[in-house]
Amino acid sequence: MDNEDARMKAMSFAQTGGPEVLHLVDVPQPHAGPGQIRITVRAAGVNPVDWKIRNGSTLRTIPVALPHIPGMEAAGVVDEVGAGVEGVAVGDEVFGAAQNASAEYAVLDEWAPKPPELTWA
């Protein structure tokens, strides 16, 4: 299996509803594109927009394709750096705006260094 075929575990939902629609699934790992980084997730944020997307109350304003991996914030260790990215390297600890953060790996579009005195949470 090459890197393009690598899999990961993620929380996902295939229909809208309450927490009972969330399931642990096996999906392909995402990869950092230009201007992005990928992290091994150590902590993922859950905020009101995440459960509103899951329960379907934001479908008109925030449409998502199903199945969907929730999560828009994450903290973790950089393991992949996309083209054109400067100032961050594999092994750096960061947090920031993610895509599909409720997973083992997440792609970040915006990030900042994690201060060493902060916990992952």
Side-chain angles (χ1 to χ4, degrees):
M1 179 184 316
D2 66 24
N3 197 29
E4 294 299 315
D5 296 327
R7 311 283 292 176
M8 69 174 182
K9 297 291 184 195
M11 291 303 298
S12 180
F13 59 92
Q15 65 186 48
T16 57
E20 70 280 356
V21 302
L22 289 167
H23 298 283
L24 187 62
V25 297
D26 188 51
V27 297
Q29 291 180 9
H31 293 283
Q36 299 175 321
I37 62 172
R38 184 179 82 167
I39 62 170
T40 301
V41 175
R42 296 284 179 89
V46 177
N47 63 60
V49 74
D50 292 313
W51 60 262
K52 289 177 182 178
I53 291 170
R54 188 201 67 237
N55 74 18
S57 64
T58 62
L59 287 178
R60 290 185 188 196
T61 56
I62 308 172
V64 297
L66 298 177
H68 178 71
I69 299 168
M72 293 184 239
E73 299 99 17
V77 178
V78 177
D79 80 331
E80 193 175 278
V81 178
V85 174
E86 297 179 3
V88 66
V90 170
D92 288 354
E93 296 181 349
V94 300
F95 66 96
Q99 300 170 16
N100 310 319
S102 297
E104 292 181 287
Y105 298 94
V107 172
L108 276 60
D109 296 312
E110 299 175 27
W111 59 88
K114 181 185 89 56
E117 64 273 12
L118 293 182
T119 66
W120 285 109

